[in-house]
Amino acid sequence: IDDVCAGAEYLVKEGLADGDRLCIDGGSAGGYTTLGALAFRDVFKAGTSLYGIGDLTALAGDTHKFESRYLDGLVGQYPEEEDLYKERSPIESVDTLSCPILLLQGVEDKVVPPNQAEMMYNALLKKGIPTCLKLYEGEQHGFRKAENIQDAIDSELAFYGKVFGMDIPEAVELKVDNI
């Protein structure tokens, strides 16, 4: 999280990026990085999480068997270090979130179950933060269908257009809550 924030801040300092429209996106662990950067730092103005982790504690109990001990090496032993899981979970820091977030998720994802995106979406809705959740039928962890990959890219562009008040010609229809 610190690295992506430092990189973005450097680009702004060098005049290569607009600090008022700085966005972040990522999928899977990159989705966690996106949500973490938005929850724990004040660098980006909006973001998109594709099948990202918002609640490490829930993931520790929900992911499939192959990934079930993956977090032990990255975060700590669960449940012994549950406090660390909570501290590093973006959903536990919704109070520090203030920027729009698009959540894109495969319905059949067994690595990062859809409840991760749904919990984050509901928390953002409750706080009044502009947000949108798009669930993709027939998709697992990472989108594989060409039409869904294209829709995800188009939806992200439409989302940023709405958030920053930019006219995006032929933008896909996208309902952003709390905007």
Side-chain angles (χ1 to χ4, degrees):
I1 292 171
D2 289 337
D3 291 344
V4 298
C5 291
E9 289 170 328
Y10 174 80
L11 293 173
V12 170
K13 186 180 94 178
E14 293 295 312
L16 300 171
D18 180 350
D20 293 329
R21 292 188 291 182
L22 203 55
C23 299
I24 183 171
D25 82 345
S28 193
Y32 169 77
T33 300
T34 293
L35 294 172
L38 297 172
F40 307 135
R41 306 291 184 277
D42 187 24
V43 174
F44 299 97
K45 304 302 181 200
T48 299
S49 171
L50 297 97
Y51 34 91
I53 303 159
D55 187 339
L56 292 167
T57 305
L59 185 68
D62 288 345
T63 196
H64 64 78
K65 187 175 180 180
F66 179 72
E67 299 275 343
S68 64
R69 304 314 311 172
Y70 178 68
L71 294 175
D72 288 358
L74 295 174
V75 181
Q77 297 293 313
Y78 187 83
E80 297 83 2
E81 297 178 83
E82 185 174 356
D83 289 347
L84 188 56
Y85 277 70
K86 288 185 182 293
E87 177 186 320
R88 294 185 181 174
S89 291
I91 199 158
E92 297 287 339
S93 293
V94 171
D95 57 318
T96 61
L97 277 168
S98 62
C99 61
I101 300 176
L102 172 63
L103 301 156
L104 305 173
Q105 177 71 44
V107 171
E108 297 172 16
D109 192 339
K110 291 186 181 8
V111 177
V112 177
N115 70 341
Q116 289 283 324
E118 293 163 348
M119 287 186 293
M120 205 66 207
Y121 173 72
N122 288 326
L124 296 167
L125 272 180
K126 185 176 179 183
K127 187 169 181 205
I129 293 174
T131 188
C132 175
L133 170 62
K134 285 193 88 169
L135 297 170
Y136 291 87
E137 293 291 335
E139 291 290 3
Q140 298 175 25
H141 192 68
F143 303 149
R144 286 158 181 76
K145 296 178 182 176
E147 64 270 17
N148 291 339
I149 294 169
Q150 186 66 54
D151 184 75
I153 292 167
D154 291 343
S155 294
E156 189 170 359
L157 179 60
F159 180 75
Y160 295 139
K162 286 184 182 238
V163 166
F164 297 114
M166 300 181 300
D167 181 39
I168 307 296
E170 300 179 36
V172 297
E173 190 63 35
L174 188 72
K175 180 182 180 287
V176 179
D177 296 304
N178 296 332
I179 200 161

